[in-house]
Amino acid sequence: MQRHLYFSQLKVGMEEIFRTAVRQDHEYLRGYLQNENVLSVSLFLSGRYLCLYMETYTGGHNWDWPITYADWLEAWPGEQGSRLSIPMLDIFHDGVPTDPESWRGSRQVDDRIGCIARLKPDMAASYIYYHYQLQEERPESFNKTYIIGAHGTFLFSYREHPAAVGEMKRTGKLSSTNTPGNWQEVMDPHFELWTDAAENEKLWRSMHRLL
């Protein structure tokens, strides 16, 4: 079982048209995703930014939007031609699933939450360093569903509520204990603030869940 994060961007002026299309195509998209061996998916929107969280049976997955969505989405160049979505780099995950049953089981999910943030370009390496250190020093320490992906200096985080903490925690790859106790104080300087957001969303802005 694998987890994936994808990023897409709407063309200018296409937000409402896209929202309507997703609502109308709900059953079609469900079938399309099932044919792609997708176990679980959540799609989030903020302005022109689209972020998708996905769980699949196997790794090596390379999902993309149906070609009918090309009228609304920007195309991105890639090794095998243009794409309507691009995989994000996994730069932090609190938990690592092994199989669907142990990952989900009968666990209750009240909400699926997606947020976006922007890194200062000169702070990207520091941000990744601290997060890998936390990930491997304290695995599954607060919410095993929490994951952060990156595309350039753009960040997307996904988590499920209530928080899920694994009973059988994996062993981290680091034996050190260097993760700072004043975590938020250390993190704050890494972000390019959202100037048009509410005070509690200056760093991480909430996205609207479409699917």
Side-chain angles (χ1 to χ4, degrees):
M1 183 182 169
Q2 297 287 327
R3 309 171 78 196
H4 313 268
L5 301 173
Y6 289 93
F7 174 78
S8 299
Q9 186 166 307
L10 291 169
K11 294 178 180 177
V12 175
M14 292 295 171
E15 181 180 340
E16 287 307 315
I17 295 174
F18 183 83
R19 285 175 180 265
T20 301
V22 169
R23 285 196 298 267
Q24 293 176 343
D25 288 355
H26 187 271
E27 290 305 318
Y28 165 71
L29 286 171
R30 182 186 294 274
Y32 180 83
L33 290 160
Q34 287 176 340
N35 288 336
E36 295 286 314
N37 292 317
V38 173
L39 293 166
S40 179
V41 63
S42 293
L43 173 66
F44 299 90
L45 171 68
S46 179
R48 295 172 59 202
Y49 300 133
L50 285 166
C51 294
L52 187 143
Y53 169 82
M54 184 180 291
E55 297 172 359
T56 64
Y57 284 107
T58 59
H61 200 264
N62 202 20
W63 182 86
D64 202 3
W65 287 96
I67 194 61
T68 52
Y69 281 68
D71 288 342
W72 310 313
L73 297 170
E74 300 280 9
W76 303 85
E79 294 181 8
Q80 300 175 353
S82 62
R83 298 174 50 90
L84 301 177
S85 68
I86 49 178
M88 302 185 81
L89 297 176
D90 176 350
I91 62 171
F92 177 82
H93 50 264
D94 193 38
V96 178
T98 55
D99 60 85
E101 181 57 32
S102 64
W103 179 253
R104 294 208 166 271
S106 59
R107 174 168 57 85
Q108 179 180 338
V109 178
D110 293 337
D111 200 6
R112 301 166 189 264
I113 302 165
C115 297
I116 54 173
R118 296 175 300 183
L119 284 176
K120 295 176 181 176
D122 60 336
M123 298 294 283
S126 172
Y127 188 84
I128 293 170
Y129 164 79
Y130 277 116
H131 277 75
Y132 182 77
Q133 182 174 257
L134 171 64
Q135 174 183 295
E136 299 304 328
E137 285 187 350
R138 304 177 184 177
E140 297 191 28
S141 59
F142 63 98
N143 186 347
K144 71 178 186 178
T145 68
Y146 194 82
I147 185 170
I148 301 174
H151 170 59
T153 57
F154 181 90
L155 300 175
F156 167 61
S157 71
Y158 171 87
R159 70 185 188 277
E160 294 174 5
H161 180 78
V165 180
E167 295 181 2
M168 299 294 292
K169 297 183 179 181
R170 68 180 178 86
T171 301
K173 296 178 181 179
L174 298 177
S175 57
S176 54
T177 55
N178 296 322
T179 297
N182 57 337
W183 178 261
Q184 195 56 53
E185 183 181 343
V186 173
M187 286 299 106
D188 285 351
H190 289 78
F191 292 93
E192 195 76 53
L193 300 182
W194 298 105
T195 58
D196 57 346
E199 190 61 36
N200 63 338
E201 295 199 339
K202 292 291 187 182
L203 302 185
W204 285 99
R205 170 183 278 175
S206 297
M207 303 184 79
H208 175 68
R209 181 157 55 91
L210 295 182
L211 186 69

